[in-house]
Amino acid sequence: MAEKEETEAVGGGGGGEETELKKELESFVKTMLEEDDHGWFCNIFFPKETPVKIAEKEEPEAAGGGGGGKETELKKELESLVKTMLEEDDYGIEKTVEAIRILNRLNELKLKKPIGLGLDDSILSEMFKCYLSGEIMGDPVVLASGQTYDRPYIENWLSEGNLTCPRSKQVLSHSILTPNCLVQELISCWCKGSVIAVPESHQDVGGETITKMDRILLNSLLGKMSSSRSDQKEAAKELRRLTKAKPSYRAVFCELPDAISRLLSPLSENRVELVPGLQEDLITTLLNLSIHDNNKKAVAENPVAVRLLIESMKFGTTETRKNAAAALFTLSALDSNKLIIGNSRAPEALLELLRGGHPLEMKDAASAILNLCMNDENKKQFIEIGAVEVILQKIKESILVDELLRILALLSTHVNAVEQLSEVDTVHCLLRIIRDSNSRRTKENCVAVLFAVCWSNKTMLKALWKEEMRKKTLAELADTGTRRARRKADGLIARMCKTFPTVRRTAT
């Protein structure tokens, strides 16, 4: 699941300028698709007032060209990408970066040599320098004026009480700094292409100063959760992006007063499915936050968080349901959270998602169930609500076989699960997987289940014996499996030899 990134500063009003830029982009691409000479593309991506000097072209070699097919393919890809950008308001920063990549490849094909961004190194190095420090930016951020600076230097400027943009002298409407992910990506690509060290990011350097600014931004965005629906949606998208891209935002989030409750307040006040876009952004933000170890306890113990995750697994987009299950998976890494989640209605919701969800949803639901079943009480509960039957059915349908066998092996240590697994078809299914699978861990889990089911059940042991006489599946596993698999296989073979003396330990 790739997150969208945006570069517009929070509270900015760049709609008119964006429309003009889109028109300019449309005209540029149309011309480029019709003409052979497209070496001047970089002017589209940098301010017009910046004196951009295009690298000199080399004469294309007459022989051995062969780039026409690839160039046509790239042009078609660019045309489709730009059409999406023109039609959608929220097209994501990754599409802009991809457009730059395609244009770069087109110029490389045109000039028959790598050219980076097509600019003189001296020009590029100047463009990537912070106006305040005179050095290449390590952590570029956008000020309210739209200008980009290196984070520690603009923060120092603001902390001294300055209320204007250093470069444009414009009075600032706010002091929020928004990461300029596009410029950071361009600097990184340029540094690698020029074989120089990428500047160290200041994101997590300097401690208190950055934490203070992070708090200001997060508080501002959380404040919008009690505002209009449009403000809620805008803030939710930004919180989703920031908590995915920047570890520091995840680290300080739960230190803010009532942060989780404020974040989820739009969903707490309405039926979650009534605002699907907002729901998806907030649930994904919660997932991003739960990745940070220090947040796991605060999120799980919040009075509404787990309940809203459960509701979102029932009502929401595929992405929402998937991310809600993934959030429960990450939260359940903490032992105390396993009990909290297990005592909610989460087991039923996760099992239902596994039973009938989208394949991507099933995978995250299975991961969460596996984590929760590490707790004995949860294991018992999943068995009682029918997890064994659901998991067996999915395995027989060849869905998530490896993942679900791990859960089944865990459940099979409980006597109630053994009773539910005591079907002859189960024995045949597991032996077939041992023969067909290339995964040693999957084979190990299969034989672990067989051991639990057949050891004390003579009927099941006889079914195992009959197939082993024909296929020698366990005999081979006893020679080639993992140490645990060999031990289980040897134990079953010894059991069958004692109970049915005609069994031999030699594989064919």
Side-chain angles (χ1 to χ4, degrees):
M1 62 197 108
E3 302 295 342
K4 295 180 180 178
E5 297 191 356
E6 305 157 11
T7 55
E8 184 179 345
V10 176
E17 183 181 357
E18 183 176 358
T19 301
E20 290 300 315
L21 286 171
K22 283 186 174 182
K23 289 180 180 178
E24 189 175 350
L25 177 63
E26 183 178 23
S27 173
F28 156 69
V29 172
K30 182 179 179 182
T31 302
M32 196 210 69
L33 293 173
E34 293 173 352
E35 299 177 1
D36 290 333
D37 184 9
H38 51 266
W40 44 274
F41 77 86
C42 285
N43 288 308
I44 292 295
F45 297 99
F46 299 101
K48 289 184 175 179
E49 63 270 16
T50 303
V52 178
K53 179 181 179 182
I54 305 303
E56 296 295 328
K57 291 185 181 180
E58 291 184 354
E59 282 297 317
E61 298 176 6
K70 183 63 176 177
E71 182 175 341
T72 301
E73 181 182 334
L74 286 169
K75 283 185 175 182
K76 288 180 179 179
E77 188 177 348
L78 177 65
E79 184 177 21
S80 173
L81 187 64
V82 170
K83 183 179 178 182
T84 301
M85 294 171 68
L86 294 173
E87 291 176 350
E88 297 179 3
D89 290 333
D90 183 19
Y91 49 81
I93 195 66
E94 71 275 2
K95 288 187 171 60
T96 306
V97 174
E98 179 65 9
I100 293 175
R101 184 194 68 78
I102 295 173
L103 287 165
N104 185 31
R105 286 290 295 119
L106 284 168
N107 261 23
E108 288 177 1
L109 288 172
K110 198 70 180 174
L111 302 186
K112 298 294 185 289
K113 73 179 187 109
I115 61 164
L117 289 174
L119 304 179
D120 281 349
D121 276 357
S122 59
I123 297 295
L124 271 176
S125 63
E126 289 301 315
M127 292 173 64
F128 292 148
K129 286 181 180 179
C130 174
Y131 178 78
L132 293 172
S133 70
E135 301 293 333
I136 300 294
M137 291 180 283
D139 196 359
V141 292
V142 180
L143 196 58
S145 63
Q147 297 288 334
T148 296
Y149 299 93
D150 207 359
R151 180 187 284 269
Y153 297 97
I154 190 60
E155 284 181 345
N156 185 60
W157 169 271
L158 295 173
S159 68
E160 291 175 351
N162 294 299
L163 302 176
T164 59
C165 172
R167 187 167 193 164
S168 70
K169 311 306 179 186
Q170 175 184 340
V171 176
L172 301 174
S173 59
H174 58 77
S175 59
I176 295 172
L177 303 177
T178 303
N180 194 329
C181 300
L182 174 57
V183 169
Q184 191 161 35
E185 176 71 17
L186 290 173
I187 290 174
S188 177
C189 290
W190 175 74
C191 288
K192 291 173 183 176
S194 302
V195 197
I196 62 176
V198 179
E200 180 183 0
S201 172
H202 305 287
Q203 174 66 36
D204 298 308
V205 178
E208 289 304 314
T209 302
I210 289 185
T211 298
K212 179 180 178 181
M213 299 306 294
D214 288 344
R215 289 173 185 271
I216 292 172
L217 175 56
L218 290 173
N219 261 321
S220 173
L221 294 172
L222 286 173
K224 291 188 176 184
M225 290 302 153
S226 58
S227 186
S228 65
R229 182 70 79 209
S230 60
D231 281 349
Q232 290 175 352
K233 290 180 178 179
E234 176 189 353
K237 285 186 180 295
E238 185 67 2
L239 284 167
R240 174 178 178 172
R241 185 182 70 81
L242 291 175
T243 54
K244 176 184 184 294
K246 302 292 183 179
S248 66
Y249 290 113
R250 297 196 291 268
V252 303
F253 191 92
C254 286
E255 296 175 8
L256 301 174
D258 297 321
I260 300 299
S261 296
R262 291 162 66 195
L263 172 71
L264 299 175
S265 59
L267 301 183
S268 303
E269 298 162 1
N270 301 276
R271 290 173 56 192
V272 292
E273 70 271 22
L274 295 181
V275 279
L278 178 61
Q279 177 196 14
E280 181 180 315
D281 287 332
L282 293 179
I283 292 300
T284 305
T285 300
L286 201 60
L287 166 61
N288 295 339
L289 293 172
S290 69
I291 293 170
H292 195 282
D293 286 343
N294 292 344
N295 294 337
K296 295 183 190 298
K297 183 178 177 65
V299 172
E301 292 182 354
N302 182 275
V304 299
V306 172
R307 175 177 63 81
L308 289 175
L309 288 173
I310 294 169
E311 290 183 22
S312 295
M313 285 192 291
K314 299 176 183 177
F315 311 105
T317 64
T318 296
E319 185 77 3
T320 298
R321 294 194 296 270
K322 173 184 180 298
N323 289 342
L328 289 175
F329 164 64
T330 59
L331 292 173
S332 62
L334 199 64
D335 285 342
S336 60
N337 287 351
K338 288 181 173 71
L339 287 171
I340 294 172
I341 297 169
N343 289 332
S344 68
R345 303 295 296 177
E348 290 87 348
L350 287 166
L351 190 59
E352 191 56 37
L353 204 59
L354 181 61
R355 188 198 310 271
H358 185 279
L360 292 175
E361 301 166 8
M362 290 183 190
K363 189 174 181 65
D364 283 301
S367 297
I369 292 171
L370 178 65
N371 255 9
L372 291 171
C373 284
M374 300 291 182
N375 175 274
D376 288 338
E377 287 299 315
N378 290 340
K379 185 191 303 182
K380 180 180 178 182
Q381 183 178 352
F382 272 105
I383 293 169
E384 289 175 351
I385 64 175
V388 172
E389 180 183 354
V390 173
I391 290 171
L392 265 181
Q393 183 59 40
K394 293 300 175 184
I395 290 174
K396 290 175 180 178
E397 293 171 2
S398 299
I399 296 173
L400 298 176
V401 173
D402 296 344
E403 294 88 344
L404 295 181
L405 275 168
R406 291 182 65 194
I407 303 174
L408 201 61
L410 197 58
L411 295 178
S412 69
T413 61
H414 195 284
V415 62
N416 292 346
V418 172
E419 291 177 4
Q420 295 178 34
L421 287 165
S422 296
E423 298 285 344
V424 172
D425 284 348
T426 302
V427 172
H428 297 321
C429 175
L430 294 172
L431 288 171
R432 184 179 67 253
I433 293 172
I434 291 174
R435 291 191 294 270
D436 295 345
S437 177
N438 294 320
S439 168
R440 300 180 81 216
R441 187 63 62 192
T442 293
K443 294 173 186 284
E444 176 186 310
N445 287 325
C446 281
V447 74
V449 176
L450 286 170
F451 190 92
V453 170
C454 299
W455 186 261
S456 299
N457 188 320
K458 192 170 182 178
T459 301
M460 301 300 289
L461 190 67
K462 187 173 184 179
L464 181 66
W465 165 62
K466 287 182 176 179
E467 186 160 340
E468 180 65 16
M469 290 292 287
R470 294 184 293 109
K471 304 285 188 177
K472 302 296 186 290
T473 306
L474 294 180
E476 182 177 347
L477 186 62
D479 289 335
T480 62
T482 64
R483 183 161 57 180
R484 180 172 177 243
R486 293 197 302 270
R487 187 173 71 250
K488 296 287 186 181
D490 275 334
L492 283 172
I493 291 172
R495 187 75 164 175
M496 289 186 292
C497 286
K498 182 177 180 180
T499 309
F500 312 108
T502 56
V503 174
R504 295 292 178 266
R505 298 175 65 93
T506 304
T508 56

